[in-house]
Amino acid sequence: MDKLVIRGGRRISGSITASGSKNTSLPIIAATLLAGNGTFILHQIPDLKDIMTFTQLLNHLGAETTFESNTLKISSRNVENLQAPYELVKKMRASIYVLGPMLARFGHARVSLPGGCAFGPRPIDLHLMAMEKLGATITIETGFIDATVPGGKLKGGHIDFPISSVGATGNALMAAVLAKGKTTISNAAAEPEIVTLCKFLIAMGATIRGTGTTELEIEGTKTLKAIEFHNVFDRIEAGTLLAAAAITGGDITVNGVEPEQMKAVLKKFVHAGCTIETTENSITLKSPEKLIPTDVTAKPYPSFPTDMQAQWIALMTQAEGTSHITDKVYHERFNHIPELNRLGAHIEIHKNQAIVDGPQHLSGTKVMSTDLRASASLVLAGLVAEGTTEVLRVYHLDRGYEKIETKLNSLGADIRREKYNEF
Ligand code: UD1
């Protein structure tokens, strides 16, 4: 296994370009299943474990793919295997994204139930409810979701989500674009990842109204075509890089971004005392002398994202005073806290709220990654900790951050990747 060995105490400063978004890549790769002809050319796809796993899943279904220099080419013409196996689905919950497009194009799909998750229950009931509203019949047996469309063609319907879900909204959209007639989705997720998916589907020939709002209206169409598409930047990677500068007292410019998508996060950096300047496609952060404690509540977009919650907690360990970080999306997403406390942080958890008492002097030790964003928070803490921090099980980080140590080292960090045996 790999670990990151971080020698702390170095300022993260300079200029860097954000990678393509992982969470946008996954639904748009799934959406390629909707086109029976042609080859998709997808640019700015990050070179990540999750992308590899998802591409493998598409290959398993029968799609042909090539990936070179962040460009993914996909032809789903020959897809005929309609079963997504446990071995691939268990590696990544987002595999559920193949359900909607397969049902829409083939009228049948068998997808293994995704397993548990490191930060609490992550049900898929809303995905299934959406497919049923469009006319699918769903049974669950022997660990598989077996979905069939009587008559072979989904029919438009009204889907009203009781809570906002990025994944279920994406799946519903991908199913509805090939359904017969009109579909409306209420309380749809309005995350930038869904906006990009809508733009992608529209470019393929779909008719979608209300993009970027919580009310979507889709007119089903008979066929969709393969397209060339430029993926958007990763707003969570960009936020993590800004936090790396802020926690080490550095100044950073992140290029290739759309600051508009990061308003809630940038507002919190300003509250924490940082100076933020933006252009159309860059964000510059200058650190203050002292960080000001800043409360955040993670909620669906446009609020502060749950995927930045762990990094914000790491940052607040260096602020002068107490801050409260609440997660209203995933109430149990706090695996990073015991590990941050092992580095010397003072953080308590009350229900879905972390109370961070800062500033604390952190000292390097071995810490364990437990999930993607938790790992990012440990790397941030390692950057500011005295001595050497070893972040073990770094494969979690590799699922979502492209060349993270190369990027941080180019900004002044001292991080080495080493192999180790866990037992
Ligand atoms: C996506 C992101 C993830 C991010 C999350 C919230 C990807 C690949 N992952 O995950 O990084 O943290 O959005 O922004 O894009 N829920 C249900 N039933 C369902 C589906 C969801 O109850 O069928 C609940 C979840 O448990 C959670 C909330 O809805 O409490 C939001 O989850 P959701 O937006 O669906 O997250 P994902 O799409 O899985």
mmCIF file of all heavy atoms in Angstrom, residues 22-23 26 94 97 121-127 163-167 306-307 329-330 333, ligand 1:
data_model
loop_
_atom_site.group_PDB
_atom_site.id
_atom_site.type_symbol
_atom_site.label_atom_id
_atom_site.label_comp_id
_atom_site.label_asym_id
_atom_site.label_seq_id
_atom_site.Cartn_x
_atom_site.Cartn_y
_atom_site.Cartn_z
ATOM 1 N N LYS A 22 -14.074 15.183 -10.809
ATOM 2 C CA LYS A 22 -14.413 13.758 -10.714
ATOM 3 C C LYS A 22 -15.926 13.565 -10.688
ATOM 4 O O LYS A 22 -16.474 12.733 -11.414
ATOM 5 C CB LYS A 22 -13.814 13.175 -9.427
ATOM 6 C CG LYS A 22 -14.373 11.802 -9.071
ATOM 7 C CD LYS A 22 -13.764 11.245 -7.817
ATOM 8 C CE LYS A 22 -14.460 11.624 -6.537
ATOM 9 N NZ LYS A 22 -15.739 10.935 -6.281
ATOM 10 N N ASN A 23 -16.594 14.351 -9.857
ATOM 11 C CA ASN A 23 -18.027 14.110 -9.658
ATOM 12 C C ASN A 23 -18.891 14.541 -10.838
ATOM 13 O O ASN A 23 -20.081 14.235 -10.886
ATOM 14 C CB ASN A 23 -18.503 14.796 -8.371
ATOM 15 C CG ASN A 23 -18.042 14.034 -7.137
ATOM 16 O OD1 ASN A 23 -17.476 12.937 -7.257
ATOM 17 N ND2 ASN A 23 -18.264 14.598 -5.968
ATOM 18 N N LEU A 26 -18.169 11.314 -13.637
ATOM 19 C CA LEU A 26 -18.864 10.027 -13.462
ATOM 20 C C LEU A 26 -20.241 10.013 -14.130
ATOM 21 O O LEU A 26 -20.508 9.125 -14.944
ATOM 22 C CB LEU A 26 -18.945 9.662 -11.973
ATOM 23 C CG LEU A 26 -17.569 9.465 -11.311
ATOM 24 C CD1 LEU A 26 -17.690 9.307 -9.805
ATOM 25 C CD2 LEU A 26 -16.838 8.265 -11.910
ATOM 26 N N ALA A 94 -20.921 5.289 -6.867
ATOM 27 C CA ALA A 94 -21.452 6.024 -8.019
ATOM 28 C C ALA A 94 -21.755 5.104 -9.205
ATOM 29 O O ALA A 94 -22.354 5.537 -10.192
ATOM 30 C CB ALA A 94 -20.468 7.117 -8.439
ATOM 31 N N TYR A 97 -25.010 5.021 -11.093
ATOM 32 C CA TYR A 97 -25.316 5.917 -12.226
ATOM 33 C C TYR A 97 -25.611 5.170 -13.521
ATOM 34 O O TYR A 97 -26.155 5.754 -14.450
ATOM 35 C CB TYR A 97 -24.142 6.860 -12.482
ATOM 36 C CG TYR A 97 -24.186 8.171 -11.734
ATOM 37 C CD1 TYR A 97 -23.038 8.697 -11.134
ATOM 38 C CD2 TYR A 97 -25.349 8.934 -11.671
ATOM 39 C CE1 TYR A 97 -23.048 9.918 -10.473
ATOM 40 C CE2 TYR A 97 -25.370 10.148 -11.007
ATOM 41 C CZ TYR A 97 -24.215 10.636 -10.409
ATOM 42 O OH TYR A 97 -24.244 11.840 -9.767
ATOM 43 N N PRO A 121 -24.896 5.538 6.630
ATOM 44 C CA PRO A 121 -25.771 4.948 5.626
ATOM 45 C C PRO A 121 -25.897 5.843 4.392
ATOM 46 O O PRO A 121 -26.002 7.057 4.508
ATOM 47 C CB PRO A 121 -27.124 4.842 6.354
ATOM 48 C CG PRO A 121 -27.047 5.826 7.459
ATOM 49 C CD PRO A 121 -25.601 5.972 7.827
ATOM 50 N N ARG A 122 -25.830 5.251 3.216
ATOM 51 C CA ARG A 122 -26.060 6.020 1.988
ATOM 52 C C ARG A 122 -27.024 5.220 1.135
ATOM 53 O O ARG A 122 -26.629 4.501 0.233
ATOM 54 C CB ARG A 122 -24.739 6.270 1.259
ATOM 55 C CG ARG A 122 -23.850 7.241 1.999
ATOM 56 C CD ARG A 122 -22.541 7.434 1.302
ATOM 57 N NE ARG A 122 -22.634 8.306 0.131
ATOM 58 C CZ ARG A 122 -21.578 8.626 -0.624
ATOM 59 N NH1 ARG A 122 -20.396 8.145 -0.342
ATOM 60 N NH2 ARG A 122 -21.709 9.411 -1.672
ATOM 61 N N PRO A 123 -28.316 5.375 1.429
ATOM 62 C CA PRO A 123 -29.307 4.555 0.730
ATOM 63 C C PRO A 123 -29.431 4.927 -0.750
ATOM 64 O O PRO A 123 -28.922 5.959 -1.183
ATOM 65 C CB PRO A 123 -30.607 4.867 1.480
ATOM 66 C CG PRO A 123 -30.379 6.146 2.190
ATOM 67 C CD PRO A 123 -28.901 6.292 2.409
ATOM 68 N N ILE A 124 -30.119 4.053 -1.512
ATOM 69 C CA ILE A 124 -30.354 4.352 -2.940
ATOM 70 C C ILE A 124 -31.849 4.358 -3.246
ATOM 71 O O ILE A 124 -32.255 4.265 -4.393
ATOM 72 C CB ILE A 124 -29.639 3.331 -3.852
ATOM 73 C CG1 ILE A 124 -29.995 1.902 -3.416
ATOM 74 C CG2 ILE A 124 -28.147 3.531 -3.872
ATOM 75 C CD1 ILE A 124 -29.836 0.914 -4.517
ATOM 76 N N ASP A 125 -32.665 4.469 -2.170
ATOM 77 C CA ASP A 125 -34.117 4.414 -2.353
ATOM 78 C C ASP A 125 -34.627 5.473 -3.344
ATOM 79 O O ASP A 125 -35.557 5.230 -4.119
ATOM 80 C CB ASP A 125 -34.820 4.560 -0.992
ATOM 81 C CG ASP A 125 -34.393 5.814 -0.248
ATOM 82 O OD1 ASP A 125 -33.190 6.127 -0.265
ATOM 83 O OD2 ASP A 125 -35.254 6.492 0.334
ATOM 84 N N LEU A 126 -34.011 6.649 -3.348
ATOM 85 C CA LEU A 126 -34.514 7.721 -4.225
ATOM 86 C C LEU A 126 -34.221 7.422 -5.691
ATOM 87 O O LEU A 126 -35.004 7.786 -6.573
ATOM 88 C CB LEU A 126 -33.902 9.064 -3.818
ATOM 89 C CG LEU A 126 -34.171 9.499 -2.372
ATOM 90 C CD1 LEU A 126 -33.478 10.819 -2.060
ATOM 91 C CD2 LEU A 126 -35.679 9.626 -2.125
ATOM 92 N N HIS A 127 -33.101 6.755 -5.944
ATOM 93 C CA HIS A 127 -32.789 6.345 -7.321
ATOM 94 C C HIS A 127 -33.887 5.385 -7.805
ATOM 95 O O HIS A 127 -34.400 5.512 -8.918
ATOM 96 C CB HIS A 127 -31.442 5.612 -7.391
ATOM 97 C CG HIS A 127 -30.259 6.437 -6.991
ATOM 98 N ND1 HIS A 127 -29.316 6.855 -7.898
ATOM 99 C CD2 HIS A 127 -29.848 6.921 -5.791
ATOM 100 C CE1 HIS A 127 -28.380 7.552 -7.269
ATOM 101 N NE2 HIS A 127 -28.686 7.602 -5.985
ATOM 102 N N ILE A 163 -35.882 14.565 -0.384
ATOM 103 C CA ILE A 163 -34.666 15.312 -0.033
ATOM 104 C C ILE A 163 -33.831 15.478 -1.292
ATOM 105 O O ILE A 163 -34.004 14.730 -2.261
ATOM 106 C CB ILE A 163 -33.821 14.621 1.076
ATOM 107 C CG1 ILE A 163 -33.498 13.185 0.684
ATOM 108 C CG2 ILE A 163 -34.451 14.691 2.423
ATOM 109 C CD1 ILE A 163 -32.508 12.539 1.622
ATOM 110 N N SER A 164 -32.942 16.461 -1.244
ATOM 111 C CA SER A 164 -32.130 16.748 -2.431
ATOM 112 C C SER A 164 -31.025 15.707 -2.568
ATOM 113 O O SER A 164 -30.257 15.485 -1.639
ATOM 114 C CB SER A 164 -31.526 18.146 -2.257
ATOM 115 O OG SER A 164 -30.704 18.446 -3.347
ATOM 116 N N SER A 165 -30.954 15.058 -3.724
ATOM 117 C CA SER A 165 -29.907 14.055 -3.960
ATOM 118 C C SER A 165 -29.267 14.272 -5.321
ATOM 119 O O SER A 165 -29.960 14.284 -6.350
ATOM 120 C CB SER A 165 -30.507 12.645 -3.886
ATOM 121 O OG SER A 165 -29.651 11.710 -4.512
ATOM 122 N N VAL A 166 -27.957 14.449 -5.301
ATOM 123 C CA VAL A 166 -27.219 14.663 -6.552
ATOM 124 C C VAL A 166 -27.334 13.411 -7.425
ATOM 125 O O VAL A 166 -27.714 13.477 -8.600
ATOM 126 C CB VAL A 166 -25.723 14.959 -6.249
ATOM 127 C CG1 VAL A 166 -24.925 15.093 -7.536
ATOM 128 C CG2 VAL A 166 -25.593 16.210 -5.398
ATOM 129 N N GLY A 167 -27.017 12.263 -6.832
ATOM 130 C CA GLY A 167 -26.997 11.022 -7.602
ATOM 131 C C GLY A 167 -28.368 10.663 -8.158
ATOM 132 O O GLY A 167 -28.498 10.308 -9.344
ATOM 133 N N THR A 306 -20.727 19.495 1.636
ATOM 134 C CA THR A 306 -20.275 18.482 2.599
ATOM 135 C C THR A 306 -18.889 17.961 2.231
ATOM 136 O O THR A 306 -18.105 17.593 3.102
ATOM 137 C CB THR A 306 -21.287 17.311 2.716
ATOM 138 O OG1 THR A 306 -20.722 16.283 3.513
ATOM 139 C CG2 THR A 306 -21.634 16.715 1.357
ATOM 140 N N ASP A 307 -18.551 17.990 0.942
ATOM 141 C CA ASP A 307 -17.235 17.497 0.514
ATOM 142 C C ASP A 307 -16.085 18.424 0.910
ATOM 143 O O ASP A 307 -14.916 18.086 0.690
ATOM 144 C CB ASP A 307 -17.219 17.270 -1.008
ATOM 145 C CG ASP A 307 -17.977 16.005 -1.395
ATOM 146 O OD1 ASP A 307 -18.373 15.244 -0.494
ATOM 147 O OD2 ASP A 307 -18.177 15.784 -2.610
ATOM 148 N N VAL A 329 -25.865 17.099 5.485
ATOM 149 C CA VAL A 329 -26.032 16.152 4.374
ATOM 150 C C VAL A 329 -25.714 14.742 4.866
ATOM 151 O O VAL A 329 -26.527 13.834 4.732
ATOM 152 C CB VAL A 329 -25.141 16.530 3.168
ATOM 153 C CG1 VAL A 329 -25.340 15.528 2.027
ATOM 154 C CG2 VAL A 329 -25.455 17.942 2.694
ATOM 155 N N TYR A 330 -24.542 14.583 5.429
ATOM 156 C CA TYR A 330 -24.143 13.297 6.022
ATOM 157 C C TYR A 330 -23.871 13.509 7.508
ATOM 158 O O TYR A 330 -22.845 14.070 7.874
ATOM 159 C CB TYR A 330 -22.909 12.740 5.309
ATOM 160 C CG TYR A 330 -23.207 12.297 3.906
ATOM 161 C CD1 TYR A 330 -22.695 12.979 2.816
ATOM 162 C CD2 TYR A 330 -24.030 11.207 3.668
ATOM 163 C CE1 TYR A 330 -22.992 12.584 1.525
ATOM 164 C CE2 TYR A 330 -24.337 10.808 2.388
ATOM 165 C CZ TYR A 330 -23.822 11.494 1.323
ATOM 166 O OH TYR A 330 -24.123 11.106 0.048
ATOM 167 N N ARG A 333 -20.489 11.977 9.088
ATOM 168 C CA ARG A 333 -19.265 12.061 8.287
ATOM 169 C C ARG A 333 -18.130 12.696 9.100
ATOM 170 O O ARG A 333 -17.630 13.778 8.757
ATOM 171 C CB ARG A 333 -19.570 12.901 7.043
ATOM 172 C CG ARG A 333 -18.515 12.830 5.997
ATOM 173 C CD ARG A 333 -18.883 13.642 4.775
ATOM 174 N NE ARG A 333 -18.088 13.196 3.651
ATOM 175 C CZ ARG A 333 -18.219 13.669 2.422
ATOM 176 N NH1 ARG A 333 -19.091 14.594 2.149
ATOM 177 N NH2 ARG A 333 -17.446 13.216 1.457
HETATM 178 C C1 UD1 B 1 -22.622 13.010 -4.343
HETATM 179 C C2 UD1 B 1 -21.114 13.125 -4.403
HETATM 180 C C3 UD1 B 1 -20.525 13.167 -2.999
HETATM 181 C C4 UD1 B 1 -21.179 14.276 -2.184
HETATM 182 C C5 UD1 B 1 -22.701 14.151 -2.224
HETATM 183 C C6 UD1 B 1 -23.417 15.324 -1.556
HETATM 184 C C7 UD1 B 1 -20.553 11.943 -6.446
HETATM 185 C C8 UD1 B 1 -19.952 10.749 -7.075
HETATM 186 N N1 UD1 B 1 -20.602 11.972 -5.100
HETATM 187 O O1 UD1 B 1 -22.914 11.779 -3.711
HETATM 188 O O2 UD1 B 1 -19.130 13.395 -3.131
HETATM 189 O O3 UD1 B 1 -20.743 14.185 -0.846
HETATM 190 O O4 UD1 B 1 -23.161 14.105 -3.589
HETATM 191 O O5 UD1 B 1 -23.072 16.503 -2.182
HETATM 192 O O6 UD1 B 1 -20.975 12.870 -7.108
HETATM 193 N N2 UD1 B 1 -29.937 9.839 -0.028
HETATM 194 C C9 UD1 B 1 -31.007 9.034 0.309
HETATM 195 N N3 UD1 B 1 -31.471 8.154 -0.636
HETATM 196 C C10 UD1 B 1 -30.927 8.055 -1.874
HETATM 197 C C11 UD1 B 1 -29.842 8.897 -2.212
HETATM 198 C C12 UD1 B 1 -29.370 9.787 -1.256
HETATM 199 O O7 UD1 B 1 -31.516 9.101 1.425
HETATM 200 O O8 UD1 B 1 -31.411 7.240 -2.677
HETATM 201 C C13 UD1 B 1 -29.413 10.813 0.968
HETATM 202 C C14 UD1 B 1 -27.974 10.557 1.353
HETATM 203 O O9 UD1 B 1 -27.867 9.575 2.356
HETATM 204 C C15 UD1 B 1 -27.522 11.933 1.798
HETATM 205 C C16 UD1 B 1 -28.310 12.878 0.889
HETATM 206 O O10 UD1 B 1 -29.378 12.086 0.357
HETATM 207 O O11 UD1 B 1 -27.906 12.169 3.130
HETATM 208 C C17 UD1 B 1 -27.538 13.456 -0.250
HETATM 209 O O12 UD1 B 1 -26.850 12.427 -0.936
HETATM 210 P P1 UD1 B 1 -26.582 12.500 -2.497
HETATM 211 O O13 UD1 B 1 -26.670 13.902 -2.951
HETATM 212 O O14 UD1 B 1 -27.430 11.486 -3.176
HETATM 213 O O15 UD1 B 1 -25.069 12.003 -2.588
HETATM 214 P P2 UD1 B 1 -24.399 11.201 -3.757
HETATM 215 O O16 UD1 B 1 -25.016 11.556 -5.061
HETATM 216 O O17 UD1 B 1 -24.291 9.765 -3.382
#
